[in-house]
């Protein structure tokens, strides 16, 4: 009977120990030579054997590592359970069962050497598994019932490993270490080569825009990101200022990625996940770009082997250490961010590009737009047509020549657009690469004048497109239309003053005096508004931006400073406020 017991505990039931689909292994009821106490001990052992059989069923079902016996094959196929993390979990579970199998082999040797050993000896030798198997079975049942998928398996195993029972904790930590091996392989592919190896959508980074609405724990909001002293809450506030989802409108090779927060284990903070996302996006952009390597160089400064070794070292650790993990991530992020800073600021002349943005989007070249307003006034005061865009661009070129702006390299990158009815249909087949289509606040309605439909596009050169994204350029367009409208009103009031001066020698009446005072009050308001916008807002914020760019060698700090600059422009220019009059 002892050998029958050992076979049953190994997953091979017989006549004494039978298998029941509902209750698992049980001692046969028609055995008169067993005392009730012996039956109780044997059923206790059978419960442990039942857990072992369930484990082997689960492993076979998802990995095929263990031969499944037909007599207890009763589980339907779990079509919703799949993926490499599940296979890793099964591999760890299989390794966890090895001491149990070895214990059964040792018991067989002992019984062959001493036939007088009792059932109590079996119970004594396997006592450690009486506590372990039910706890691990809870994890397996949770994965099966809730269809836990991908990195969520890491979270499930981690939570159950935080108990106070040492055998259970050690066993689940070993399983977790095997599952972490998959995560480190995905991290190495993503952070070192820009490859997102995630066919089953199991990783916490995904291709495509963020789903939004994900809640983050309160304790994350005040944690320092290590980027210019910003906290997680401040970073999210800046990111939430993006008015438009960034689609792939700039370059075909530029793909958008985001965090899949529901897949992120709780022991990896969101700040670390953001760094992982940033590094992978940057490396992926370089890997897909066809510029000459001599110009771009290696974004990791040819330290891929060093970082791969560090990630492999973390993979070999039996326990996950957030400190070591974050130190390695920070080292990779710092290397990438510094290389991007060098490429942006020193090689791509970021400061010069910002000056161009300021001159044309923020009306830094006021004399150019003054001439343009005079030339285009007659063609933009009426509703736009199909030829209006061509006409205003001709006027823009003429205005540039009049103010001696003859930069052959710059002017072809700038293009004025008119968003008239029916244009979207014509542009659906293809758009200008590297430009942002203007988006009117009410695209369903035809614009009343050409001025309301006017927009400016700028063809951004690689790699500045990762800073001047379509969403960023659209925000600049919002500011551009607003500043141009203020400049037009100021110009019209100045024209009224010129007419007033021509008529001052004529006899005036009371209504003329009222008109003069009204014009004077309006001019006072608009002139002060213009001074406030250009000096107190634009110049002040722009100088702060340049100072922050020159004081760091970190691209992420530059991007955050630029986002802050743009959001301050929108806020301090009153653009985000509701209109008090229409």
């Amino acid at each position: 009977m002892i050998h029958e017991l050992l076979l049953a505990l190994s997953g091979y039931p017989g006549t004494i120990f039978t298998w029941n689909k509902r209750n698992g292994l049980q001692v046969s009821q028609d055995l008169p030579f067993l005392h009730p106490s012996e039956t109780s001990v044997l059923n206790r052992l059978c419960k442990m054997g039942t857990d072992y059989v369930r484990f082997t069923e689960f492993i076979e079902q998802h990995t095929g590592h263990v031969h499944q016996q037909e007599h207890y094959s009763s589980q339907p196929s779990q079509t919703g359970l799949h993926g490499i993390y599940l296979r890793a979990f099964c591999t760890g579970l299989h390794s966890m069962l090895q001491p149990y199998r070895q214990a059964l082999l040792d018991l067989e040797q002992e019984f062959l050497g001493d036939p007088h050993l009792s059932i109590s000896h079996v119970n004594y030798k396997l006592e450690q598994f009486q506590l372990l198997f039910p706890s691990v079975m809870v994890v397996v049942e949770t994965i099966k019932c809730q269809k836990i998928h991908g990195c969520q398996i890491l979270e499930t195993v981690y939570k159950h490993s935080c108990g106070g029972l040492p055998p259970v904790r050690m066993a689940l930590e070993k399983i977790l270490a095997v599952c972490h091996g998959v995560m480190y392989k995905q991290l190495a592919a993503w952070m070192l080569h820009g490859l997102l190896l995630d066919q089953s959508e199991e990783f916490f980074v995904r291709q495509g825009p963020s789903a939004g609405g994900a809640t983050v724990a309160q304790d994350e909001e005040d944690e320092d990101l290590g980027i210019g002293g910003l906290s997680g809450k401040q970073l999210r506030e800046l990111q939430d200022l993006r008015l438009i989802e960034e689609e792939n409108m700039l370059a075909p090779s530029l793909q958008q990625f985001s965090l899949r927060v529901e897949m992120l284990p709780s022991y990896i903070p969101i700040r670390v996940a953001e760094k992982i996302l940033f590094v992978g996006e940057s490396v992926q952009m370089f890997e897909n770009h066809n510029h000459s390597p001599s110009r771009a160089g290696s974004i990791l400064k040819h330290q891929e082997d060093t970082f791969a070794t560090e990630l492999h070292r973390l993979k070999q650790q039996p326990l996950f250490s957030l400190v070591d993990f974050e130190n390695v991530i920070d080292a990779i992020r710092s290397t990438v961010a510094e290389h991007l800073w060098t490429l942006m600021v020193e090689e791509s002349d970021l400061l010069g590009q910002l000056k161009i943005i300021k001159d044309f989007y923020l009306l830094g070249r006021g004399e150019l737009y003054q001439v343009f307003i005079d030339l285009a006034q007659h063609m933009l005061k009426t509703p736009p047509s199909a030829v209006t865009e061509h006409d205003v661009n001709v006027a823009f070129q003429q205005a540039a020549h009049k103010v001696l702006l003859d930069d052959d390299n710059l002017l072809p990158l700038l293009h004025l657009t008119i968003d008239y009815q029916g244009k979207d249909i014509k542009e659906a087949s293809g758009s200008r690469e590297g430009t942002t289509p203007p988006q009117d606040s009410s695209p369903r309605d035809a614009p009343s004048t050409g001025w309301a439909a006017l927009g400016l596009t700028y063809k951004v050169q690689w790699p500045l497109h990762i800073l001047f994204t379509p969403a960023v350029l659209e925000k600049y367009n919002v500011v551009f239309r607003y500043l141009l409208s203020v400049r037009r009103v100021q110009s019209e009031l100045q024209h009224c003053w010129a007419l007033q001066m021509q008529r001052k020698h004529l006899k005036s009446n009371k209504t003329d005096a009222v008109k003069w005072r009204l014009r004077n009050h309006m001019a006072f308001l608009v002139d002060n508004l213009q001074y406030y916008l250009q000096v107190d807002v634009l110049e002040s914020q722009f100088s702060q931006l340049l100072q922050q760019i020159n004081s760091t060698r970190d691209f992420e700090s530059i991007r955050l400073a630029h986002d802050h600059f743009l959001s301050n422009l929108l806020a301090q220019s009153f653009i985000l406020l509701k209109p008090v009059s229409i």
Side-chain angles (χ1 to χ4, degrees), residues 216-242 270-271 274 475 548 556-557 559-565 567-568:
V216 182
Q218 182 68 28
D219 57 352
E220 293 289 333
E221 297 190 348
D222 298 324
E223 293 187 9
D224 185 13
L225 288 177
I227 304 175
L230 285 169
S231 66
K233 181 179 180 181
Q234 291 169 327
L235 174 64
R236 284 187 292 279
E237 287 176 349
L238 290 179
Q239 291 172 334
D240 289 343
L241 289 170
R242 299 187 182 276
I270 191 72
R271 67 172 188 275
E274 292 283 358
K475 286 193 227 178
Q548 291 175 337
E556 277 289 271
S557 298
R559 183 157 64 180
L560 292 174
H562 181 255
D563 286 346
H564 199 194
F565 161 75
S567 60
N568 282 344

Side-chain angles (χ1 to χ4, degrees), residues 16-159:
I16 298 179
F17 301 95
T18 59
W19 177 263
N20 182 278
K21 292 183 179 181
R22 180 178 180 181
N23 299 319
L25 281 175
Q26 282 185 324
V27 182
S28 180
Q29 300 294 326
D30 52 353
L31 297 177
F33 56 86
L34 287 179
H35 191 274
S37 62
E38 291 179 312
T39 304
S40 176
V41 173
L42 288 174
N43 280 329
R44 186 166 179 263
L45 291 171
C46 285
K47 187 177 184 308
M48 182 170 53
T50 300
D51 289 341
Y52 176 76
V53 171
R54 304 289 191 200
F55 291 147
T56 55
E57 278 185 343
F58 185 80
I59 295 171
E60 166 64 21
Q61 194 169 354
H62 300 293
T63 66
H65 285 174
V66 179
H67 179 67
Q68 188 175 12
Q69 300 298 309
E70 294 181 356
H71 45 256
Y72 56 78
S73 177
S74 59
Q75 295 293 329
S77 176
Q78 300 284 339
T79 57
L81 291 175
H82 62 282
I84 53 178
Y85 281 90
L86 182 63
R87 294 179 65 89
F89 174 82
C90 291
T91 301
L93 183 61
H94 183 75
S95 300
M96 185 211 74
L97 295 176
Q98 185 57 35
Y100 173 79
R101 300 188 191 96
Q102 186 61 45
L104 294 180
L105 290 176
D106 294 342
L107 279 172
E108 185 175 20
Q109 293 295 326
E110 291 178 9
F111 276 100
L112 289 175
D114 186 1
H116 301 291
L117 292 176
S118 64
I119 298 175
S120 299
H121 183 70
V122 179
N123 191 46
Y124 166 73
K125 285 292 186 178
L126 300 180
E127 183 65 30
Q128 56 178 322
F129 303 104
Q130 296 281 5
L131 199 62
L132 174 62
F133 280 13
S135 299
V136 178
M137 182 55 69
V138 171
V139 180
V140 173
E141 290 298 328
T142 301
I143 293 175
K144 291 171 62 177
C145 296
Q146 300 182 15
K147 298 190 184 303
I148 305 298
H149 182 62
C151 285
Q152 292 175 336
I153 293 179
L154 300 179
E155 176 68 10
T156 302
V157 178
Y158 171 75
K159 284 185 175 180

Side-chain angles (χ1 to χ4, degrees), residues 360-361 369 396 414-417 436 454-458 477 480:
F360 291 94
Y361 275 100
Y369 285 102
F396 188 74
L414 297 164
H415 185 78
L416 291 174
T417 60
T436 307
L454 185 65
L456 177 65
T457 62
Y458 177 57
N477 243 326
F480 167 73

